[in-house]
Structures are given as C-alpha cells and as structure tokens.
Amino acid sequence: MILRTFILLTLIPYIYADTLTLLNWEDYLSENTISAWEAKSGHEIHQIYFDNDEDRDSILINHTDQVIDLVIVDEIATTGFGKNGFLLPVKDYQTKPILAEIDPEIQSSCGQYGLPYLRGTFGIAYRSDKIADKPKSWAFILQPNDEIKNHIGLVDDYMDMLAPPLFMLGESINSENPKVLKEAFFMLKNTVPSVLTFEYGISYIEADSKRDQLYVTLAYSGDQYALNTKAGKEIWEYTTLEEGTIAWVDCLTVMADSPRKEIVYDFINFIYQPKIAAENSESIYVASPLASARALQSSAFLSDASVYPDEKIMNKAQYYKPLPSKNITLRNRITSSIIKSHEAK
C-alpha cells in the first residue's frame, strides 16, 4: 500500500510562519470551522493527513524537516509522546480555563498532555444499498456470507484489527495472553479470502479504482459521514455490534517544539468555544466532550445512538490500555502475517 501521508510530506510547499500545521485524520475538522477560524484570525490552517496510528507516529517522530504545531492523538499515545518530550503539558497552555468545560473523567483520558477533542466508538460502516439487514454481530465480517465476500475492509492496526475476534472470543481487546491472540489470529486468517483491503475505508474509497467494491469496513463513529461525502450519496451507515465496542477519546495536543504557540493558543481558545465546538462536532458527526457544546446541538444529533450511544452499548464498551512492548511486537507480527496472507492470495 502506498502511504499517502509520506507522499504528502514530500509535496508540501513552503509553509509560511503564520500558518498553523495540524497532523490529523482526514475529514476530522469541519470546513466551516476552518473557514471561521481563518476569517477571524487571519491565519491559515494546513493539515497533514494520516491513515493509521503507525503512520501518525512515524510522521510525528520524524518531523524534523516539517514544522507541526498540533496533533490529534489517541489517549494512549498522548501520554507516551508527552512523557518522551514531544508534547507540551496542558499546564503550560496559555489558554482560557477550558478544563472547567470538560468532564473530569473524559479529561483524564488525555491526561497531562492533551485536551479531549472528540469521542466515539468502534464498529463497522456498511453500505445500506448493498446490505439488506443491519449487522448485529462481529461474526458478520469474521464469518462472512456470500453477500459480502471480497467486499470487506479491515485496518492495518495492531489493536483494531484484532478487536473483532477478541470481542467474539469474549476477551479483552488489551489481552496479553499469547494463546488468546493466537486464536484471534486464526479467526482473522479464515477471513482473509473475503477481504478486499486493509486500507482505512475513507482513504480507500477516495483513491482506489475498486472503491465501489467496498461494502463493509471497520470504522470509527463518524466515518460514515465522511464516506457518504466522498461517495456523493447517503449509502453508508455505522453500527456497533452486540459483543461490544471500543470507547475512545481523541486528544488535541500541542507540539513542544512548535514555533507558533501564540497562534496555537488562540486556535485552542477558538475551537473550544461552546458554539464552535458544537458546530464542529455535529458537522463531522462525532460526539463532543464538552457539556456546554452538547447543550447547543440538535435533538436529532443528540438522539443518534451512533454518536451518543445509550447505556446498553456503553455497558459493553472496552477501553484502550497501554501495552508492554513484548505484546505490541506479537500483535505487529500477527497483523503483518495477516496482510501478507492477503497479498499472496
């Protein structure tokens, strides 16, 4: 797979001193928010996109030839990169008292080195024009019927690729048991003949000529909005599955070596205004961590279980935890083997 993120880095033109650079998932900051910020501040926003956590980490670590001011990072990586000196501690931010707006439990997810940006769940996005009945179980992709064989998208990620079989096995997504991970490996291997791609669904339908062959893909809540935007029609829906979901928080973090911190602080103060946070969240169809923002959102959005899940779903939610390097190595070997099996089929 060609890593678009690295190609983007080599093609980036000279970035002027007053332009903020944000390392981010694609379609994860609304165009209206960008336009409003640029009109108000007079500063542009330049975004570098990544497709998965590994690409993000590599770009972040090797960014010496490219200034990066802000990064959207998951809650586990926020602590790791913070302790290694890449990220500025929140206590050093010269911003308004934003923390008072955030539920302390949600803020704890981002710890000392980030502010909760958006939160959501992990499940599958599926083509409602191709799949008659809403998927209910992770078995839908692990034991696929003929309807979706060769139309499945998984992800190249050592946590999220393994999550579906671990849910099916009734195990923790953070399992360190080699026997359990081996069993999960064989469940994935049996699915390989039915897999179309391991590329992140949003990137795949944007760039690949076989985009119309993707019927179902591992996804994060809100991905269906971006998928529909790129498809040009409302054909994608998102759902969690009965065995469980992952509840996640993405954090907005400041690079310690950013030379534009004053502009960064202005941007943070801007984007965490309740009205702006509410509009950004609803525009990209992902839940806000701010109670003051949620109070301004539409009733239809607030009642959508794909955005704000009910108690029944959240009671089955699991959360990412830091893993020891030995476990990460094993998981990387598993995902690498699965992808190689797919390439060889």
Side-chain angles (χ1 to χ4, degrees), residues 5-265:
T5 48
F6 292 109
I7 294 176
L8 279 171
L9 280 174
T10 63
L11 296 178
I12 291 171
Y14 177 77
I15 304 302
Y16 294 100
D18 60 353
T19 296
L20 280 184
T21 297
L22 171 64
L23 182 59
N24 195 9
W25 295 95
E26 189 170 357
D27 294 316
Y28 208 42
L29 177 65
S30 83
E31 291 298 327
N32 287 340
T33 301
I34 293 171
S35 297
W37 158 253
E38 292 181 342
K40 179 180 183 297
S41 69
H43 301 298
E44 294 183 358
I45 294 177
H46 174 75
Q47 295 191 76
I48 302 170
Y49 300 127
F50 56 84
D51 293 325
N52 56 57
D53 292 347
E54 286 79 6
D55 289 354
R56 176 205 63 208
D57 294 354
S58 182
I59 295 169
L60 196 156
I61 292 168
N62 299 292
H63 76 287
T64 52
D65 60 343
Q66 169 64 45
V67 173
I68 298 175
D69 302 295
L70 294 152
V71 188
I72 300 298
V73 188
D74 65 84
E75 62 264 43
I76 300 301
T78 296
T79 299
F81 280 116
K83 289 182 176 179
N84 287 328
F86 285 91
L87 307 177
L88 191 72
V90 172
K91 65 180 178 60
D92 293 342
Y93 292 10
Q94 296 175 19
T95 60
K96 295 176 182 177
I98 291 168
L99 291 177
E101 301 278 346
I102 302 171
D103 184 312
E105 184 177 351
I106 298 176
Q107 175 57 43
S108 68
S109 298
C110 294
Q112 303 175 47
Y113 297 98
L115 296 170
Y117 173 60
L118 294 168
R119 61 189 177 93
T121 58
F122 177 69
I124 60 174
Y126 64 97
R127 290 270 299 268
S128 57
D129 61 330
K130 300 290 186 181
I131 296 169
D133 298 318
K134 178 181 178 179
K136 296 180 179 179
S137 168
W138 285 109
F140 186 76
I141 58 172
L142 292 174
Q143 300 165 9
N145 58 31
D146 291 341
E147 181 183 33
I148 64 167
K149 286 183 177 179
N150 298 312
H151 300 290
I152 297 172
L154 298 184
V155 289
D156 182 4
D157 183 282
Y158 68 78
M159 285 296 297
D160 293 344
M161 186 197 295
L162 284 162
L166 290 172
F167 276 124
M168 285 287 293
L169 292 168
E171 299 286 348
S172 167
I173 61 165
N174 304 293
S175 176
E176 297 179 35
N177 187 328
K179 291 183 179 179
V180 169
L181 293 177
K182 184 177 180 180
E183 192 170 354
F185 164 73
F186 283 113
M187 291 177 71
L188 284 169
K189 193 170 183 179
N190 288 335
T191 308
V192 165
S194 300
V195 173
L196 174 66
T197 182
F198 286 89
E199 188 173 3
Y200 183 41
I202 293 173
S203 300
Y204 184 81
I205 71 163
E206 179 179 51
D208 201 282
S209 61
K210 295 181 179 179
R211 63 181 67 88
D212 196 51
Q213 295 302 305
L214 185 65
Y215 294 177
V216 58
T217 182
L218 295 182
Y220 312 97
S221 53
D223 281 359
Q224 75 277 20
Y225 175 84
L227 288 166
N228 283 326
T229 298
K230 294 188 181 302
K233 47 189 174 181
E234 299 291 317
I235 56 176
W236 286 93
E237 295 186 16
Y238 170 84
T239 186
T240 54
L241 292 310
E242 60 187 13
E243 295 88 1
T245 184
I246 300 172
W248 50 263
V249 176
D250 277 336
C251 310
L252 181 65
T253 65
V254 178
M255 292 294 289
D257 62 358
S258 167
R260 296 182 275 256
K261 290 190 177 68
E262 291 304 317
I263 302 175
V264 166
Y265 299 145

Side-chain angles (χ1 to χ4, degrees), residues 303-315:
S303 63
D304 189 331
S306 73
V307 183
Y308 294 106
D310 59 29
E311 187 176 353
K312 181 180 178 181
I313 294 172
M314 295 310 294
N315 283 342

